[in-house]
Amino acid sequence: MNDQIKQIAERLRGLREVLELTAEELAAESGINLEEYQLAETGDYDISVSMLQKIARKYNIALDALMFDEEPKMSSYFVTRAGKGVSIERTKAYKYQSLASGFMKREADPFIVTVEPKAEETPMHYNSHNGQEFNYVLEGRLLLSIDGRELILNEGDSIYFNSTLSHGMKALDGKKVRFLAVIL
C-alpha cells in the first residue's frame, strides 16, 4: 500500500488511543466490521471512505482530519480551484479529491472520484455507510451496483441513493471514470 494509506492507518490508531478505546470498542461503536477495522489499522489494507466517514461521524471529528490530516478552517465559504482539491489515492484503482476540505462542520462531503479500470474478473468492492449519496458522471461509463441491482451510468447521468444499502462501482470499457460524489 502507499504512504497515504499508512498515514491514515496511523491517524486511526492515534484517534483510538486518544479515545482510550480498544479496536473492538471502536469498531462496535462505529458499526464497522472488527476484522476490517483491524486490517485498516495495519496500513496494508484499502481503507474505504465509508469506514472513515462512520468513524468521523461517530466521534464528531472532521473526515478531512482522518483522510488528509487537515482540520477545516473556513465557516463562511471555501473555494477549491480546478485540480487543486486535497486528494488521496486509496489504491491504484480509486482516487478521491475533496472539494470542501477547508469548510468546518459541513453537512455533506463532496469529492471528485476517479476509478481506474480493473481486469474483468476483478470482484467489485462493496461498502455502505449512513446517509445518502449523490453521484454525477463527468467522464467515462460506470457500473454501479446498489443492493444487488446493477446500473450503468454514462457521462452526464446521475444517481441519488440510500448509502446504507451495499454499493460498489467499476469502470467500464477499459477506461477510467471520473464522477462527482456527494456523501450526505
Side-chain angles (χ1 to χ4, degrees), residues 10 13 34 40-41 56 59 66 92 95 145 161 174:
E10 288 175 23
R13 244 185 336 274
L34 174 60
E41 267 199 19
Y59 299 106
L66 290 175
K92 295 271 186 240
K95 178 182 175 186
S145 176
F161 62 95

Side-chain angles (χ1 to χ4, degrees), residues 31-150:
I32 298 168
N33 175 283
L34 174 60
E35 190 175 313
E36 186 179 349
Y37 177 77
Q38 289 172 324
L39 286 170
E41 267 199 19
T42 69
D44 296 323
Y45 177 75
D46 179 21
I47 304 169
S48 71
V49 173
S50 63
M51 177 194 295
L52 296 175
Q53 187 180 49
K54 286 178 183 179
I55 294 168
R57 286 183 174 170
K58 172 63 185 169
Y59 299 106
N60 198 28
I61 61 171
L63 178 60
D64 299 334
L66 290 175
M67 288 184 72
F68 311 116
D69 198 24
E70 290 192 10
E71 287 290 334
K73 298 168 183 60
M74 304 303 291
S75 62
S76 297
Y77 65 89
F78 182 78
V79 175
T80 301
R81 300 290 179 199
K84 300 295 182 187
V86 177
S87 66
I88 182 168
E89 191 172 307
R90 286 185 22 230
T91 68
K92 295 271 186 240
Y94 299 99
K95 178 182 175 186
Y96 286 80
Q97 178 187 3
S98 177
L99 300 178
S101 62
F103 194 86
M104 297 186 314
K105 299 181 183 177
R106 62 186 177 273
E107 295 179 17
D109 289 301
F111 297 95
I112 297 293
V113 180
T114 303
V115 180
E116 295 294 338
K118 297 178 189 173
E120 197 61 37
E121 64 278 355
T122 304
M124 195 178 292
H125 175 76
Y126 292 89
N127 62 61
S128 64
H129 48 88
N130 290 335
Q132 301 168 345
E133 187 167 331
F134 170 78
N135 295 335
Y136 177 84
V137 179
L138 301 167
E139 172 186 340
R141 288 183 354 118
L142 177 71
L143 173 63
L144 182 64
S145 176
I146 301 174
D147 202 28
R149 170 129 188 206
E150 291 190 347

